[in-house]
């Protein structure tokens, strides 16, 4: 079974032609495996940006689908 990899940014993202070049450190099972570069199209980056923004807003309870905690003093606002 293939273990999923995780990535950590290892430098500045650059725009090269119509793609973003993203330097990443690759980890497998929490252990460093390699440093590599990933490429992402401008269109895919735009979609990813929109999805990440929505998820981060929801996580911060700022999004349109904010779940109200009935025990929170802020739920009445």
């Amino acid at each position: 079974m293939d273990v999923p990899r995780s990535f950590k940014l290892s430098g500045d993202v650059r725009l090269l032609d119509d793609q973003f070049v993203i330097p990443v450190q690759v980890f497998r099972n929490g252990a460093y495996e390699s440093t590599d570069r990933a490429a992402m199209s401008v269109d895919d980056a735009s979609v990813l940006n929109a999805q990440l923004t929505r998820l981060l807003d929801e996580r911060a309870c700022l999004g349109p689908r904010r779940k109200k905690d009935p025990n929170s003093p802020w739920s009445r606002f």
Side-chain angles (χ1 to χ4, degrees), residues 7-13 22-26 34-37:
F7 305 95
K8 180 179 178 181
L9 292 177
S10 63
D12 294 332
V13 176
I22 308 160
V24 293
Q25 291 178 330
V26 182
S34 65
T35 299
D36 206 342
R37 283 179 272 167

Side-chain angles (χ1 to χ4, degrees), residues 2-64:
D2 192 28
V3 177
R5 294 175 291 173
S6 61
F7 305 95
K8 180 179 178 181
L9 292 177
S10 63
D12 294 332
V13 176
R14 308 266 185 215
L15 183 60
L16 181 64
D17 297 324
D18 286 337
Q19 291 195 330
F20 288 102
V21 178
I22 308 160
V24 293
Q25 291 178 330
V26 182
F27 295 84
R28 189 181 301 266
N29 281 338
Y32 172 78
E33 191 173 89
S34 65
T35 299
D36 206 342
R37 283 179 272 167
M40 181 179 290
S41 73
V42 171
D43 290 340
D44 286 343
S46 177
V47 170
L48 181 61
N49 181 49
Q51 292 175 355
L52 289 173
T53 299
R54 179 182 54 83
L55 291 170
L56 289 169
D57 285 350
E58 287 176 6
R59 182 174 182 221
C61 296
L62 300 174

